Amino acid sequence: MTDAEALADRVRDGDLRLHELEEHADADTATAARRLLVEEQTDASLDAVSDYSFPAEQADPNIENMVGAAQIPMGVVGPVTINGGALSGERYLPLATTEGALLASVNRGLSVVDGAGGARARVTKSGMTRAPVFSVADVVEAEALVSWVRDNEPALKEAAEETTSHGELLDVTPYVVGNSVFLRFRYDTKDAMGMNMATIATQAACDVVEDETAASLVALSGNLCTDKKPAAINAVEGRGRSVTADVTIPREVVEERLHTTPEAIAEINTRKNLVGSAKAGSLGFNAHVANVVAAMFLATGQDAAQVVEGSNAITTAEVQDGDLYVSVSLASLEVGTVGGGTKLPTQAEGLDVLDVRGGGDPAGANADALAEAIAVGSLAGELSLLAALGSRHLSSAHEELGR
């Protein structure tokens, strides 16, 4: 009997629970024991799930009750020239996805972008947020709390920053709804995505608020942050990185490579991405930015649920002196190059493809570079899809590549 089988027997006998296995064996043995139990109780074969390429203990910070690893095909697109504030030069972009035709589409867009001299990209705002909600007696106490916060922001900054060697509290914005007061804390989290950092720092600041005012903390997150949910505040104020990429493509390149015209792409973008999105009440005014954001998040170890905010983007297209100008602005792209899933071996390799793994110099530069790379990939995806619609090749491309 193997060690894994012996552990599985102990779980069957009620001596152990699944989450207790690591206390009695190494992580790989515990993972194998769980897998045996799941296979036995579900009649599923987990042979593919069991074939992972790194020690299970490396995933301890990232998952509980591990039984193996899900493998998603990963490819690259490019190279493309990026003229960014933090990322410059030619880069391949890593994308992990199960959607046929996605990489082909983005690759076509990048080829056209590169033929036009590359894309420009800039991070225009940065800050991870956490917004606790406090209860007060009435609007008089609410106003008093707002005034106190404005007068005592340095004290909140000191308390918050004592919890971290890297984070910096940038500002605190109060919002009042009846006898509820929300305080939206915004942090510079450098190269970390920073959600945990912001949460721990905000708790320390909340302790000061409760000690010094009549307010009572109800919840450390009051949903005004806003994390992993569609929210207009993120579209307007931003969260994580706000980043824009753009390119100007000569008319002859549009006609020869994309088989359409600058005018057609500009009109499609206006009627589809702007008017159509507005009629639908959408928060994202784009064609499929979420596709590239999701694929690059999976390839580089980002929090996949934050694709919700990451697809909060606006695509613009217009004719300038006969040529095509296209841009995509992502308001709330939450990315990091240290911590979380970025430490897992396969995701770290994805970051290495971009040469942005770990902390940057200056601090925050690598996360800015990753944001710029994702924006350029999104720009290429938007351009390619708009052109496919303009040339009426969308359905034939999906028939050929979508499988």
Side-chain angles (χ1 to χ4, degrees), residues 268-279 285 314-316:
I268 291 168
N269 187 73
T270 297
R271 294 183 185 275
K272 168 185 169 63
N273 286 342
L274 305 184
V275 178
S277 297
K279 179 63 175 176
F285 287 64
I314 299 176
T315 299
T316 71

Side-chain angles (χ1 to χ4, degrees), residues 22-35:
E22 272 85 0
E23 299 173 13
H24 300 272
D26 62 83
D28 283 303
T29 301
T31 297
R34 288 193 198 92
R35 193 165 56 245

Side-chain angles (χ1 to χ4, degrees), residues 185-210:
F185 289 75
R186 186 171 69 93
Y187 298 87
D188 180 355
T189 57
K190 311 305 179 187
D191 285 299
M193 182 270 285
M195 193 67 266
N196 289 340
M197 184 189 302
T199 298
I200 294 167
T202 300
Q203 179 64 69
C206 288
D207 292 342
V208 175
V209 173
E210 285 198 299

Side-chain angles (χ1 to χ4, degrees), residues 309-386:
E309 301 100 286
S311 59
N312 211 335
I314 299 176
T315 299
T316 71
E318 59 186 74
V319 180
Q320 293 184 348
D321 298 324
D323 299 328
L324 176 66
Y325 171 84
V326 185
S327 78
V328 61
S329 298
L330 292 84
S332 45
L333 191 65
E334 297 144 339
V335 294
T337 56
V338 298
T342 67
K343 295 185 291 186
L344 291 170
T346 53
Q347 285 74 15
E349 289 176 2
L351 291 169
D352 284 341
V353 170
L354 290 164
D355 193 24
V356 298
R357 179 161 39 140
D361 185 19
N366 276 356
D368 283 351
L370 176 58
E372 290 174 354
I374 293 172
V376 170
S378 299
L379 176 69
E382 293 293 279
L383 175 63
S384 184
L385 179 50
L386 290 171

